[in-house]
Amino acid sequence: MAQNKMLSFVHLKQAYPEKRSAQERDTDFNEIYRSFSDEQASCQASRCSQCGVPYCSAYCPLHNNIPDWLKMTAEGRLQDAYALSSATSTMPEICGRICPQDRLCEGNCVIENSGHGAVTIGSVEKYITDTAWKEGWVEPLQPITELGISVGIIGSGPAGLTAAEKLRQQGYQVHVYDRHDRAGGLLTYGIPGFKLEKDIVARRVKRLADGGVTFHTNFHVGKDASLEELRERHAAILIATGVYKARGLATPGKELNGIVDALDFLISSNRKSFGDKVEAFDNGTLDAKGKKVVVIGGGDTAMDCVRTAIRQGAESVRCLYRRDRVNMPGSAREVKNAEDEGAEFVWLSAPESFVGKDHVQSVKVRGMRLGAPDGSGRRSPEPDPARLFDMDADLVICALGFSPEDLPTLFNAPELSVTPWGTVEADPVTLQTSIEGVFAAGDIVRGASLVVWAIRDGLVASEQMHQWLATRQQDKQDAPTKAKKKAVFA
């Protein structure tokens, strides 16, 4: 049992075979990590085979040196393991908590592929950095030098925070602008606290602020200042806003009360956890307590909504997804967690219409079947005329993904080019946009994706911005000399 207690959620079933409530699961999860000792971390890390081809690192977007810091952990060299882990990631304890390791590093572990169960890489990564914070190994953010050059970052999600840290280390005066009242983006407001404790995010933000990064919260670009006005304040700008616009349903009855967007539901829940007054939650609109909840969607956001509704005390929670379990885009681990907590998944189903007078009362559900593969090779869902049924619902949460907002209009910057999908058009190498000195990174460029990819994009953006600024500064310094030479030869 002691060894099982060190494993992550995907392995909890081994230690606790009976079904547990969501609250019991959260308690178990916290107890596991509170009791996670150096000896247990070493035991789990020692399972790494040190294979010649580290697929775990290859499938990590950050290409973390996973086998090496697992080896250091197995040898009891936790401080060295932390130093190596943090060399490639700005927030390893966050990735350890929320990365879909079953689709990335752990899913490509050689031991996992041989049928012996993956090394729980995420659990060890989390433990290493949590220990580093506890022991004081996480050093304050200190710039190499002071360059006297100011840069602005729009958005304080993982891409923006990562770029802020790296640019401040180089010596830039970094200003981060965010429309929310707290920094962190979806780390703060989009991901539930039972997956990512909010003090973990706040701790990272505080380290940046203590290191000289200036945060401007409740700041709306386009309203409080246009993009052009920010360009006048700073030598370079990074757009790292993420994507927040909910993809809608073209379903009859969608205008009924009780049909809400996933992000509104999750943000209200997280705000309540901070102790904020949230009118839409307090009046019951965004509170699932006692309700028959139907979640529409199959990604990780849908799973967050399902598990949040359960914790709020919903009478029942059902998730409709138009494909089957195998083709679900979200984490298989999250689906299993939700099922263990009491959620029901209705595969191959989609809403045909919403029924009710002023408020939704039921969903008319059309059965689906998988047809021919689409352009990507994935089988496309199509209606099954033989299956149509009703499902009671007091609250319907739409979790169909996110699209970019209209930034050229929002920022009052018509010269900012976007793709046909609305994402910001950026050079694939330099990440510079159609506006000189304005860069873009994260979901606003690649579309809705994983936190770990946003961190990767933030690292690349900071490097490219530094190179561009350094070249620009050198050109300024060389200008008088070039002018003199030109005058002599004239």
Side-chain angles (χ1 to χ4, degrees), residues 190-264:
I191 299 174
F194 58 82
K195 286 175 61 176
L196 177 59
E197 308 94 312
K198 300 311 164 187
D199 60 322
I200 300 299
V201 181
R203 183 171 67 183
R204 280 287 172 188
V205 173
K206 184 177 185 301
R207 177 174 175 270
L208 296 182
D210 290 346
V213 175
T214 303
F215 287 92
H216 305 266
T217 54
N218 291 313
F219 192 101
H220 295 256
V221 179
K223 178 182 176 183
D224 297 309
S226 67
L227 181 60
E228 180 59 34
E229 288 170 331
L230 289 183
R231 288 182 66 208
E232 293 173 0
R233 297 181 193 179
H234 306 291
I237 296 288
L238 174 64
I239 300 174
T241 56
V243 290
Y244 280 79
K245 183 181 176 183
R247 292 177 184 163
L249 280 169
T251 306
K254 66 179 192 278
E255 71 284 349
L256 289 171
N257 291 323
I259 301 174
V260 304
D261 291 330
L263 201 51
D264 291 339

Side-chain angles (χ1 to χ4, degrees), residues 467-478:
Q467 288 182 22
W468 183 81
L469 287 163
T471 300
R472 190 163 175 261
Q473 191 68 14
Q474 188 63 49
D475 289 344
K476 283 184 178 180
Q477 293 173 357
D478 293 343

Side-chain angles (χ1 to χ4, degrees), residues 249-445:
L249 280 169
T251 306
K254 66 179 192 278
E255 71 284 349
L256 289 171
N257 291 323
I259 301 174
V260 304
D261 291 330
L263 201 51
D264 291 339
F265 177 70
L266 293 172
I267 288 176
S268 73
S269 179
N270 279 314
R271 283 196 176 280
K272 289 304 292 185
S273 72
F274 284 116
D276 294 353
K277 179 176 175 55
V278 183
E279 184 178 352
F281 184 94
D282 296 336
N283 66 22
T285 302
L286 296 175
D287 184 1
K289 185 176 181 179
K291 295 178 180 177
K292 297 173 183 175
V293 177
V294 173
V295 177
I296 302 170
D300 289 338
T301 299
M303 297 306 97
D304 290 345
C305 291
V306 165
R307 300 182 66 199
T308 297
I310 290 171
R311 281 158 177 77
Q312 289 181 357
E315 179 182 327
S316 64
V317 179
R318 291 174 174 172
C319 183
L320 306 183
Y321 181 55
R322 60 182 183 162
R323 289 184 169 93
D324 59 11
R325 187 184 194 116
V326 174
N327 287 283
M328 194 169 189
S331 167
R333 176 173 64 191
E334 287 293 288
V335 174
K336 187 65 169 64
N337 292 338
E339 285 180 326
D340 286 350
E341 294 168 4
E344 177 186 349
F345 286 85
V346 186
W347 309 109
L348 292 168
S349 63
E352 186 165 274
S353 65
F354 300 109
V355 180
K357 293 183 179 179
D358 295 325
H359 196 283
V360 66
Q361 295 176 322
S362 66
V363 183
K364 192 169 288 294
V365 181
R366 168 62 65 184
M368 307 294 286
R369 61 191 179 191
L370 296 180
D374 59 18
S376 67
R378 195 179 183 197
R379 293 178 66 188
S380 299
E382 58 185 32
D384 181 352
R387 292 175 58 222
L388 182 65
F389 54 95
D390 293 328
M391 183 177 292
D392 291 342
D394 304 311
L395 176 63
V396 176
I397 304 171
C398 301
L400 303 174
F402 305 101
S403 299
E405 296 163 283
D406 182 2
L407 291 194
T409 300
L410 195 65
F411 288 179
N412 192 23
E415 69 275 24
L416 181 66
S417 295
V418 297
T419 69
W421 301 274
T423 52
V424 172
E425 200 167 50
D427 185 281
V429 176
T430 66
L431 299 188
Q432 191 162 190
T433 69
S434 57
I435 305 174
E436 185 180 13
V438 177
F439 299 75
D443 287 3
I444 194 58
V445 175

Side-chain angles (χ1 to χ4, degrees), residues 10-11 47 49 101-102 105-119:
V10 72
H11 297 102
R47 296 182 61 232
S49 66
Q101 288 94 2
D102 56 326
C105 55
E106 292 181 15
N108 292 279
C109 174
V110 169
I111 296 176
E112 168 74 6
N113 293 333
S114 65
H116 296 287
V119 176

Side-chain angles (χ1 to χ4, degrees), residues 6 8 33 36 41 44-45 60 62-66 69-70 73 78 81-82 84-101 104-106 119-133 203-204 452 455:
M6 60 188 285
S8 56
Y33 282 128
F36 201 54
Q44 184 59 218
C60 170
L62 296 172
H63 300 308
N64 286 330
N65 299 309
I66 296 170
W69 51 253
L70 284 175
T73 302
L78 272 184
Y82 162 71
L84 188 60
S85 172
S86 61
T88 51
S89 176
T90 55
M91 21 185 118
E93 76 279 26
I94 291 176
C95 288
R97 284 168 164 83
I98 62 174
C99 262
Q101 288 94 2
L104 300 173
C105 55
E106 292 181 15
V119 176
T120 56
I121 296 167
S123 301
V124 177
E125 180 180 36
K126 170 192 178 298
Y127 178 72
I128 289 169
T129 313
D130 282 353
T131 302
W133 281 100
R203 183 171 67 183
R204 280 287 172 188
V452 67
I455 294 172

